Structures are given as C-alpha cells and as structure tokens.
Amino acid sequence: MSPSSITSFPAEAVPQAPEDPLFGLMRAYKADTSPDKVDLGIGAYRDDNAKPWVLPVVKKADEILRNDPEANHEYLPIAGLAALTSKAAELLLGKSAPAIAEKRAASVQTISGTGAVHLGALFLARFYKSQGANRTVYVSNPTWANHHQIFTNVGLPIATYPYFSKETKGLDFDGMKATLEQAPDGSIVLLHACAHNPTGVDPTPEAATLNRDAGAIRLFVEQGFELDIAQSFAKNFGLYGQRAGCFHYVAAPAADAVETTTREASQLAILQRSEISNPPIYGARIASIVLNDPALFAEWQEKLRTMSGRIIDMRKKLRTKLEDLKIYASRPHHRPDRHVQLHGVSEPQVLKLRTDFHIYMTKNERISMAYLNSRNVAYVATAVDKVVREAQ
C-alpha cells in the first residue's frame, strides 16, 4: 500500500491550538533583551536577587538521598511512595485526624497538583453518579485558567460562582453563597483551599502557617463532607520541575466508609496505571525525607516563613509605592501568598506595560509577587502608575 498524499488530520479536524498564555508569556520574556525586563508571570519563588532558591533543607535531603546505599531507580508502586502519601495526608488533615485513624482517607501520588486535579476529574467523570445526573463543576470566577481545560477535557461541564467583587476589591461572599445555594443537588464545587489563584483573596483570616493553610480542608472534613483534595509540593518545597504531588479522597463518616474508601482507592489505581503507570520517584523522596524527619520538618517550616516573609515585604513595598504615587488602581491586600491582581489595570494597559516597560504579567492582571525585589519594585510601581494615568 502506498502512503496517502492526503493527511488523515486536516485543519478542520485538528485546528491550530493557541499557545498557552502563561508559558507564551514566559517565552516572550526570555526573548526580551532589555536589561529592565521584569517577569511577573510564572508563580515560582525567587530570592531578592531574582534567582531561583533551592531550599537548604532540600539540599540536605538531596545529600541524604545521594548517600543512601539502598537508593535506586526502581519503579514505585502505582499509588506512589507510601512514606510521602501518608505524611502528605497528615499535613493536610492533621496527624491525629479521625479520617486517618478510621481509614476514611485514600492517597495517591500524582504529577504535582495539576496531575492531582486531573486524576480527580477523571475519577468523577467515570464514576460520579449524582442525584438527577447533574455533574456540573462549579469553579470560582475567576479561577486558575487550567481548571477549565482539565474538567472539560474529561467531559465534565463547567459553571461559575461569583468570587471577586470589583466594587469592594474583595470576596463576593454573598454572591458566592447565593449561587452555590441555588446549584442543583449533586453539583461538584471546586474551592481553592488557600492562596486563591489569581486574585489572592481568601475567605479565611490571613496567616502564614501550615495549619491555617489547611484550615479550610480540616473544617470540611470535620463537618462530615466527602471530598477530593489536590496537593502540590512544587512551590512549598521549590520542587517545581520534580512534579511531586498527591491526590486524596476523604469519605464522609458512615458505616461503610472504609469499604467506600477501599473501592475508590482501587479505581484510582486503575486510572493511574492507564495514565502514567506509576509516578516519578526523586522529588517524592526529597519531600518524604523532610516530612518524616522532625528536625528537617522544623527547618522546612522556618524556610516557608522566610519565603512568605519576603513576599509580604514586597507586597507592602509595592502597596506603599502605589499609594505614594496616588494611583487610582487597586491597592494590593496583604495576604502572604504569591499572587495578587492589580485590580483596575486593563488588558490594554497590561500590554502597554509589556511593550513600553518590558514588564510581563498575565492579561487578567495577576502578578507573581515573588518576582518583585528591592531593585525592581519601584520601577514596577512607577510603570503601572504611568500607564494608568495615560489612560485616564
């Protein structure tokens, strides 16, 4: 048989896809030769010299691993490294959590947080049989852009609930509550446990501790909800490229909760096997060493405070400089996470910041606070002030 001269994948069947906005932004930034360029796009931590920071505790864990005579590169089990997944569950639910003691929690290692969301979406698409066959996923408006792709790619419809109020520049709690109250029974609700992306606005009190960041999850578990949890070790360990994460299912308290959890774990393993067979090992081992060593765990918590402390400082400096300039746009609030939106900066102004000042941020006004430092914060504030004033 001679090869066909006509493709089986014409443009009408496989149209050209647009470039991912965030990674396209990163590519454009790298191609920019200006010495003044500032990257406020990718949400990864940088030190005050704008350099990636390998946490000292990660270096120690890496050294332990490299000197372990028993270390090898064999396959992990399908569910991943148990020494990681068990401690990851404790980190979220609490060491003495009844859900763990009662064996109502099932955990699977994933390809970071994105892989955890995808595995949960795939499971819901395959097995979730809600009342009235409603399987709509309610996501916040706005939300992380990838949420839409992940759920629609597995055939789950998307709806939104109000989240950010442009008038108050804070949480639209009344709108959020009203929409979710009217959602059909059996609807799936996606919530950001902490550090809402892209707004940075959370319904919980601001804090920079592990227990507070896990507070919303623990509250829902204590109230008897059945829930899926996606967890990443990218940002809090600086293990971005290692893609270490976990997916957790927690059953509601019931007579058959253990049996339900066992069945769910078995199907998660089947889905994982067909998707990636088994997860990568190196980043999982690094995180596991730290989480299982009391001294390293304490040091890790201290380094988290170091990172969040620098971000808080940059947030305060940016706010002060914007206020000094009397800019009409929003004032960044003070929660110590990596993202904030410069509310009131329009898409054309975002593009003007890029072309005129070589400042790269997403079109939805979100900026990564970790890329601000003592040398560029004044430059960024002045540039934002200028493009906003010119548009008035």
Side-chain angles (χ1 to χ4, degrees), residues 318 321-322 325 353 357 377-387:
L318 178 61
K321 292 184 182 300
L322 289 173
L325 292 164
L353 283 169
F357 295 94
V377 65
Y379 175 74
V380 170
T382 301
V384 171
D385 177 74
K386 184 175 178 60
V387 298

Side-chain angles (χ1 to χ4, degrees), residues 52-90:
W53 189 44
V54 180
L55 275 64
V57 70
V58 168
K59 289 184 177 180
K60 290 180 181 179
D62 189 35
E63 187 71 14
I64 291 170
L65 180 56
R66 287 190 294 108
N67 289 309
D68 181 0
E70 300 299 320
N72 56 58
H73 301 284
E74 295 295 298
Y75 291 121
L76 281 176
I78 294 172
L81 186 65
L84 171 67
T85 56
S86 60
K87 285 297 180 181
E90 289 181 7

